[in-house]
Amino acid sequence: AMSTRSGEFITLKEVLDEVGTDACRFFFLLRAPDSQLEFDLELAKKQSSENPVFYVQYVNARCHSILKDFKEDDTCIDISLLNTKEERDLIKKLISFEDILLICDKTKSPHHLTTYLLETADIYHRFYEKCRVLCEDKNLMKARIQLLKAVSIVIAKGLDLLGVCAPAKM
């Protein structure tokens, strides 16, 4: 806890040294520029799903973990097979990526993007729990692999725009 009255404060350099650049940037960009920021140092240090930046980065790493074993085979992919609620929700969220970027540009605030990435991570995790990517149906598996590629591209691009790394391994 900091207190400006008693002269106790933590510098940004100390925060960066403590939690790292990625967590620091992500936490600062979670809030609108005109809102008050409460930086939870202990949460920013955690390497668990409680930590927002870790939660989003983990989606990219999980996608890469599955994708690394697959050769490029974009032939005859029937995306109409992606028809569960979780698959449709994830596709809808990915489609709105460009709209979020336009909102960020219009409002001159990146907090819309951090919120979008967290929401996308939530939807991805629900998809991952309900839908086996590696399944018996080879056509469905190929369609889900394409969906994972799209998720990875959007998450990595979103993190890159925020200046946060998108690790392939965690």
Side-chain angles (χ1 to χ4, degrees), residues 24-55:
C24 193
R25 280 182 197 225
F26 201 89
F27 271 76
F28 276 103
L29 297 173
L30 271 171
R31 304 283 178 252
D34 58 350
S35 68
Q36 182 175 342
L37 171 72
E38 289 187 27
F39 194 101
D40 186 337
L41 201 55
E42 293 308 311
L43 178 60
K45 289 192 286 186
K46 284 186 180 181
Q47 291 194 345
S48 73
S49 61
E50 295 174 54
N51 179 336
V53 68
F54 184 87
Y55 188 63

Side-chain angles (χ1 to χ4, degrees), residues 44-169:
K45 289 192 286 186
K46 284 186 180 181
Q47 291 194 345
S48 73
S49 61
E50 295 174 54
N51 179 336
V53 68
F54 184 87
Y55 188 63
V56 173
Q57 288 174 322
Y58 187 68
V59 169
N60 190 62
R62 181 174 266 177
C63 288
H64 277 270
S65 173
I66 296 169
L67 294 172
K68 73 178 170 38
D69 295 329
F70 288 91
K71 297 179 181 99
E72 284 294 317
D73 180 17
D74 296 343
T75 58
C76 302
I77 295 171
D78 184 2
I79 61 169
S80 70
L81 296 172
L82 302 175
N83 55 26
T84 67
K85 179 187 181 331
E86 292 77 18
E87 291 163 335
R88 287 190 319 270
D89 288 348
L90 189 52
I91 291 167
K92 287 177 191 175
K93 194 64 176 178
L94 295 175
I95 289 170
S96 69
F97 183 57
E98 185 178 348
D99 295 334
I100 292 300
L101 297 179
L102 292 172
I103 291 168
C104 289
D105 182 49
K106 185 177 181 180
T107 62
K108 305 295 184 235
S109 177
H111 79 280
H112 303 287
L113 180 55
T114 53
T115 300
Y116 169 85
L117 292 173
L118 283 168
E119 291 169 356
T120 303
D122 280 339
I123 294 168
Y124 171 81
H125 287 296
R126 282 195 299 274
F127 156 79
Y128 189 80
E129 286 175 15
K130 299 277 185 178
C131 303
R132 286 193 51 83
V133 175
L134 308 177
C135 57
E136 296 288 321
D137 183 336
K138 297 299 178 202
N139 290 323
L140 178 58
M141 183 171 70
K142 284 168 63 173
R144 287 181 175 163
I145 291 295
Q146 284 303 112
L147 183 55
L148 288 190
K149 286 179 184 179
V151 169
S152 180
I153 289 167
V154 167
I155 293 288
K157 179 53 73 180
L159 288 172
D160 181 56
L161 289 168
L162 296 172
V164 174
C165 76
K169 272 185 165 182

